[in-house]
Amino acid sequence: LLVSSTVGKDRIIFATKEDHETPSSAELVADDPDDPYEEQGLILPNGDINWNCPCLGGMASGPCGEQFKSAFSCFHYSSEEIKGSDCVDQFRAMQECMQKYPDLYPQEDENDEKSSKDLEAASMEASAAKEEEGSS
């Protein structure tokens, strides 16, 4: 005997001990590789980025989603010797956006000044590496 009632948006179901002793009648369906809702991981078989991957933690759909997508895409498709060294502007735009929403994107116990100095240092290192590459 299953008793079901609805309270607001929640559905409450009471099950007896006997209900749990009965074998499940659920059927497993074979995975369909063409199912667009099937979890594919971060990178799809064709090499594209799966923006719906739960591994991104919703970063692609938040208020800074477009900046995140731009920076992540740039990094993913970067063919520079130091991967992503050509994406500093996109990452800076993403960071500037995220600083506007500290409740959604908490900084990891660093003040914003230190974070932007770190970013500038990384940018200068990438630029120096490019110059060295060009002069050899």
Side-chain angles (χ1 to χ4, degrees), residues 44-114:
L44 297 170
N46 66 1
D48 289 346
I49 298 167
N50 178 8
W51 296 117
N52 296 319
C53 180
C55 59
L56 292 175
M59 292 290 292
S61 59
C64 299
E66 291 308 309
Q67 292 86 340
F68 173 78
K69 286 180 177 181
S70 174
F72 194 86
S73 294
C74 181
F75 182 84
H76 177 63
Y77 295 112
S78 174
S79 58
E80 295 295 312
E81 190 169 316
I82 298 174
K83 189 171 179 79
S85 62
D86 50 337
C87 305
V88 174
D89 292 340
Q90 291 90 329
F91 277 100
R92 182 173 285 128
M94 180 182 80
Q95 184 183 33
E96 286 170 2
C97 179
M98 289 176 168
Q99 288 172 348
K100 295 176 189 172
Y101 302 94
D103 292 344
L104 290 175
Y105 308 104
Q107 301 295 312
E108 293 183 12
D109 295 335
E110 292 183 337
N111 61 34
D112 293 343
E113 211 172 287
K114 184 179 186 311

Side-chain angles (χ1 to χ4, degrees), residues 82 84-86 88 120-131:
I82 298 174
S85 62
D86 50 337
V88 174
E120 286 171 26
S123 170
M124 291 192 309
E125 285 173 24
S127 296
K130 271 188 173 178
E131 287 171 21

Side-chain angles (χ1 to χ4, degrees), residues 6-58:
T6 303
V7 178
K9 65 176 180 38
D10 300 318
R11 184 168 173 227
I12 302 167
I13 299 173
F14 297 97
T16 65
K17 184 179 178 193
E18 290 78 28
D19 293 326
H20 289 288
E21 290 172 349
T22 308
S24 172
S25 60
E27 291 181 30
L28 296 177
V29 180
D31 288 342
D32 176 1
D34 299 322
D35 181 357
Y37 300 102
E38 184 66 31
E39 296 303 328
Q40 298 283 339
L42 180 58
I43 307 302
L44 297 170
N46 66 1
D48 289 346
I49 298 167
N50 178 8
W51 296 117
N52 296 319
C53 180
C55 59
L56 292 175

